[in-house]
Amino acid sequence: ETGVTQTPRHLVMGMTNKKSLKCEQHLGHNAMYWYKQSAKKPLELMFVYNFKEQTENNSVPSRFSPECPNSSHLFLHLHTLQPEDSALYLCASSQGGDNTGELFFGEGSRLTVL
Amino acid sequence: GQNIDQPTEMTATEGAIVQINCTYQTSGFNGLFWYQQHAGEAPTFLSYNVLDGLEEKGRFSSFLSRSKGYSYLLLKELQMKDSASYLCAGLDSNYQLIWGAGTKLIIKP
């Protein structure tokens, strides 16, 4: 199994749809992250979970709802999204949640909102 | 405000050397990271510098000057597979990562 796996790799949805992104890490890490990556823009941190507890929510709109049932799995539930939410959503994990260590990223879920 | 600046795009020739610069303005400083991201792939860790100086890892080296708020990534003996985006990220006093927008490196034969 690869380190961090994200599904689906590509998703197209309408503004009224509800969908979910899934992330799984096989590295035994304690922290998991959701990032948004838009073309030619810096990575935007969305949510951080440390030992399954949400430790950061970077003023993300409520149409994005994270869920972390255990230290290995992370979900991002999507509903009533806007076209400007189209982006690559990257999941990452790390040993600790303080950013002093290396982040291990998944390949991302490419989201298109019509 | 906090900011990371790096060039948007650079072009270099196979076999040559290229230096990708990154300047940072952060509230406090706890180190600087470089990541590589090939198109359609996950970013992968390249280096972490917290002390001044040059750290070498094979063909890649990373340099940090804390007094100048400056870092660079040096790639030697460039190969076509080095075509990728290179992301610079600074760690501030609250251990928050401040990311640059990335430098797209194009390698030509």
Side-chain angles (χ1 to χ4, degrees):
Chain A
E1 291 282 1
T2 55
V4 180
T5 305
Q6 291 187 241
T7 54
R9 293 292 310 279
H10 299 273
L11 178 62
V12 179
M13 58 188 289
M15 289 191 285
T16 58
N17 291 158
K18 287 185 180 181
K19 297 285 184 183
S20 295
L21 306 181
K22 179 183 176 182
C23 177
E24 185 173 359
Q25 58 100 358
H26 307 274
L27 301 167
H29 288 164
N30 299 314
M32 295 187 78
Y33 310 75
W34 279 117
Y35 277 93
K36 177 182 179 183
Q37 187 174 39
S38 303
K40 299 185 180 181
K41 290 186 177 179
L43 285 177
E44 296 176 48
L45 179 64
M46 299 175 72
F47 302 104
V48 181
Y49 279 82
N50 211 358
F51 292 96
K52 300 188 300 177
E53 298 297 319
Q54 185 175 306
T55 56
E56 189 142 354
N57 175 341
N58 251 10
S59 303
V60 180
S62 59
R63 58 185 183 270
F64 295 91
S65 174
E67 179 190 359
C68 187
N70 54 61
S71 294
S72 299
H73 293 85
L74 187 63
F75 295 88
L76 188 62
H77 304 299
L78 316 169
H79 62 98
T80 58
L81 294 190
Q82 306 297 310
E84 60 264 29
D85 297 323
S86 298
L88 183 68
Y89 289 85
L90 289 166
C91 174
S93 71
S94 66
Q95 185 58 47
D98 63 359
N99 282 320
T100 56
E102 173 186 349
L103 287 171
F104 291 78
F105 286 90
E107 293 186 317
S109 294
R110 172 72 61 187
L111 174 66
T112 302
V113 181
L114 301 177
Chain B
Q2 305 198 91
N3 194 47
I4 300 281
D5 282 319
Q6 53 181 133
T8 303
E9 188 174 299
M10 298 181 71
T11 303
T13 305
E14 190 177 16
I17 298 173
V18 71
Q19 178 175 309
I20 303 174
N21 296 325
C22 171
T23 57
Y24 63 88
Q25 294 170 315
T26 57
S27 301
F29 180 76
N30 279 301
L32 190 127
F33 291 86
W34 284 97
Y35 282 81
Q36 180 191 58
Q37 185 178 22
H38 286 101
E41 297 184 14
T44 55
F45 170 83
L46 287 177
S47 66
Y48 170 66
N49 294 64
V50 66
L51 300 176
D52 285 355
L54 185 70
E55 293 201 5
E56 299 184 59
K57 275 187 190 179
R59 295 188 299 112
F60 291 17
S61 302
S62 56
F63 172 83
L64 178 67
S65 168
R66 294 178 66 134
S67 62
K68 295 181 180 178
Y70 166 70
S71 172
Y72 66 72
L73 185 68
L74 190 71
L75 290 71
K76 301 178 184 176
E77 300 168 20
L78 285 170
Q79 301 175 11
M80 297 304 291
K81 67 178 182 180
D82 298 328
S83 292
S85 287
Y86 292 86
L87 311 180
C88 175
L91 198 58
D92 72 10
S93 58
N94 292 321
Y95 293 93
Q96 302 297 309
L97 274 173
I98 312 300
W99 293 87
T103 298
K104 182 178 180 181
L105 178 63
I106 299 167
I107 309 298
K108 295 186 175 180

